[in-house]
Amino acid sequence: MKRKIVDKNLARVLGFLAFIATGGGLLVSTAIKNSNFHKTEIVLIYGGLFAISLIDHLIQLIEGDEKDEDH
């Protein structure tokens, strides 16, 4: 018999929070340490794409929860 340490939904939320913390931390630290304005603009563009991927990932998490409830 397998025992689960962490609930499936909790694992998904923890993974999502880790995704936010890792990507957000890298973007913020790069923007702070970089003194060149043009390179900072590039980091902001990557930040926008990161935000879009976060929204997409959140939608997948929500839809996955709804599919799990149907079965």
Side-chain angles (χ1 to χ4, degrees), residues 6-15 61 64-66 68-69:
V6 178
D7 185 32
K8 187 177 182 180
N9 291 332
L10 180 61
R12 288 179 180 176
V13 171
L14 288 175
L61 284 176
D65 290 342
E66 290 173 358
D68 289 341
E69 291 174 0

Side-chain angles (χ1 to χ4, degrees), residues 2 7 14 27 32-33 42 44-45 47-48 51 54 67 69:
K2 290 185 179 181
D7 185 32
L14 288 175
L27 289 172
I32 290 173
K33 291 181 181 180
I42 293 171
L44 290 176
I45 291 170
L54 283 177
K67 288 179 184 176
E69 291 174 0

Side-chain angles (χ1 to χ4, degrees), residues 30-66:
T30 303
I32 290 173
K33 291 181 181 180
N34 203 349
S35 61
N36 189 348
F37 182 70
H38 297 293
K39 291 181 182 179
T40 304
E41 288 178 345
I42 293 171
V43 170
L44 290 176
I45 291 170
Y46 280 118
L49 295 173
F50 179 70
I52 291 170
S53 70
L54 283 177
I55 293 168
D56 184 48
H57 189 66
L58 181 63
I59 290 170
Q60 288 178 356
L61 284 176
I62 292 170
E63 288 177 353
D65 290 342
E66 290 173 358

